[in-house]
Amino acid sequence: MSEPGERDPYAPPPDDAPETPDPPRPRGDSGLPGSGGTYGGSGDPRHPGAAQPDHQGTRALLAGMASLLFLLWFPPLGLLFGVFALVAGVRAVRARRARGLSSPSGVGAIVFGPTTMLLALLGVVVVSVLYREFSAYAECMAGANTEKAKQICQDRLIDALERRFG
């Protein structure tokens, strides 16, 4: 097992052992890995050069994904989240670049943001331009009880769209 003079490292200290205080920690450091404490490092004294996670870029990327989801249900809100994703992504990339680090999630948000903004803007324009046609189609479909009536509604919509653009 162990030699006679060797002490078990997992055993509690003997009663006559002097108390050793914990080493001082930087302000804001809880002592847990990645908890902060020093700007630009992880705050973990065992890994002083570890990079901080890209929280700002991750938030921007999540806003870009939210804009894509809202694009399907409510395009104006998708447009708003797209603008936020673009602005937050640019800020994340600039902040990380100033510290000499990369921000792949910030770059992803910069791609997501304008893409969903463009799609949301296109959706808003299409809905606003074709509101009368789609409104008439919705009313027709609400009153259609048979497959034949539904087909007539679809034919009317196609005719209305052809008149509008043809």
Side-chain angles (χ1 to χ4, degrees), residues 5-155:
E6 201 173 309
R7 181 172 140 25
D8 182 10
Y10 298 107
D15 293 334
D16 60 343
E19 273 194 44
T20 56
D22 288 337
R25 293 189 178 123
R27 200 172 173 173
D29 185 11
S30 67
L32 299 173
S35 64
T38 58
Y39 189 72
S42 69
D44 186 3
R46 296 171 299 217
H47 306 287
Q52 283 191 356
D54 187 14
H55 293 299
Q56 194 174 10
T58 303
R59 261 192 308 272
L61 187 59
L62 288 173
M65 287 187 231
S67 70
L68 188 61
L69 287 175
F70 283 117
L71 175 67
L72 301 172
W73 287 289
F74 191 64
L77 197 56
L79 181 66
L80 184 68
F81 270 93
V83 170
F84 176 76
L86 177 64
V87 171
V90 169
R91 291 182 71 193
V93 168
R94 283 184 181 171
R96 297 280 289 187
R97 191 171 288 159
R99 290 188 275 165
L101 301 168
S102 66
S103 177
S105 54
V107 173
I110 291 172
V111 171
F112 254 118
T115 303
T116 55
M117 284 170 46
L118 183 66
L119 291 172
L121 196 58
L122 182 67
V124 168
V125 167
V126 165
V127 167
S128 62
V129 167
L130 300 175
Y131 178 77
R132 278 187 279 155
E133 287 82 1
F134 284 121
S135 178
Y137 173 72
E139 284 180 29
C140 181
M141 287 299 279
N145 294 330
T146 64
E147 289 299 317
K148 178 106 171 120
K150 290 179 183 179
Q151 186 61 43
I152 290 171
C153 293
Q154 290 176 356
D155 292 341

